[in-house]
Amino acid sequence: MLRITDARTGEPVDAAPARRGLTRVEAHTQGLDPTNLRVLLAADLLVRALELGGTPVWALLSGERQREELRAAGAALGVRPFEEGGETGTGLGEAQVLHVVGEDGPEPDGVRIAVAPVRWETPGPPDTTDQAALRLALLAHPRRTPVRIDAGALTEAGDTLAHWRRAVADWARRPSRPVPDTVRADLRAAWEDDLDTAAVFDVLRAVESDPALADGARFETYAYADRLLGLDLARDLGTPA
């Protein structure tokens, strides 16, 4: 079960306390900048993790400034659509409401999931960079850890992404094998522990280097993890070796 740290208390809570009960995830933003984009990305990750666990989710975006611009930037980053938030009440009878906020952002009632700021140190704005590499660079750090994004971080993320995509395309040419139960358990343990994507990446690196695993199992593992990560790791399937 996904456990998430409530910023009000510093204690972990069940993200979906009612099995199969509707959970509302609301991203609270304050304009378009790298930190608010990270808030939206964290909300997207939370939605994906809940859905992988079988929880129905109502995803909302609230904010008074540059909401449409942020939606467009989020879409480029691979964030799935969020409905209009605001004064929604609890009309659908959701079992839980999770508010994703910046560390110095709004303080709505209910469980608050805090996202640390991004320090942007590249020549151009975020929308001029490789968006998949930016997504990986942001996910490589726990969301409560401040992130510094510079040219070196983006290059490293882009190189990692290109390497994984080539590997996944190569593994896909081998006979398929199921994700090993222990690996699946390790992945879920990682992301169900406060959405620890850094630990998810550690599992993927271990899978890549494990000589006991068949390439078909590596492929299925990366495809499974990408349902959470949203990095389009299977993009290069069918390309020449």
Side-chain angles (χ1 to χ4, degrees):
M1 177 180 292
L2 176 60
R3 301 274 286 171
I4 202 83
T5 299
D6 187 345
R8 300 171 304 168
T9 64
E11 298 295 327
V13 298
D14 291 340
R19 182 172 175 80
R20 309 298 181 187
L22 177 67
T23 294
R24 186 170 99 206
V25 173
E26 189 159 0
H28 297 264
T29 59
Q30 298 177 290
L32 175 59
D33 60 34
T35 296
N36 282 288
L37 191 58
R38 191 185 190 193
V39 169
L40 188 58
L41 176 60
D44 177 65
L45 193 74
L46 179 58
V47 169
R48 290 169 182 264
L50 288 166
E51 290 180 343
L52 279 168
T55 298
V57 183
W58 185 22
L60 302 173
L61 172 62
S62 296
E64 296 180 357
R65 295 187 291 113
Q66 297 178 292
R67 195 153 35 176
E68 290 311 309
E69 293 88 342
L70 186 62
R71 285 183 191 280
L77 197 64
V79 172
R80 293 181 295 180
F82 278 55
E83 296 182 30
E84 285 292 322
E87 298 298 325
T88 57
T90 56
L92 294 183
E94 58 265 32
Q96 175 81 294
V97 181
L98 304 172
H99 300 281
V100 185
V101 300
E103 285 186 346
D104 298 321
E107 297 183 353
D109 294 334
V111 176
R112 291 199 296 269
I113 299 162
V115 179
V118 177
R119 193 170 73 188
W120 189 257
E121 297 184 358
T122 69
D127 62 356
T128 63
T129 68
D130 180 335
Q131 295 298 287
L134 174 56
R135 184 177 178 110
L136 191 153
L138 291 172
L139 293 180
H141 304 274
R143 72 168 190 287
R144 290 186 289 163
T145 301
V147 174
R148 174 174 171 263
I149 299 294
D150 59 13
L154 290 172
T155 297
E156 181 180 356
D159 290 347
T160 297
L161 188 61
H163 168 73
W164 278 348
R165 284 173 170 171
R166 286 194 302 268
V168 167
D170 183 51
W171 297 332
R173 298 184 178 93
R174 311 299 197 275
S176 179
R177 296 289 185 272
V179 180
D181 290 342
T182 54
V183 172
R184 187 184 296 270
D186 288 344
L187 285 170
R188 295 197 70 94
W191 76 60
E192 289 181 351
D193 181 13
D194 207 27
L195 292 175
D196 190 349
T197 47
V200 171
F201 289 146
D202 288 341
V203 175
L204 293 181
R205 293 185 183 97
V207 165
E208 181 181 7
S209 61
D210 186 348
L213 286 179
D215 284 348
R218 297 187 220 275
F219 169 77
E220 295 295 346
T221 297
Y222 273 63
Y224 174 64
D226 202 37
R227 293 170 62 189
L228 174 82
L229 299 172
L231 294 171
D232 199 11
L233 295 178
R235 190 195 68 176
D236 293 344
L237 263 64
T239 58

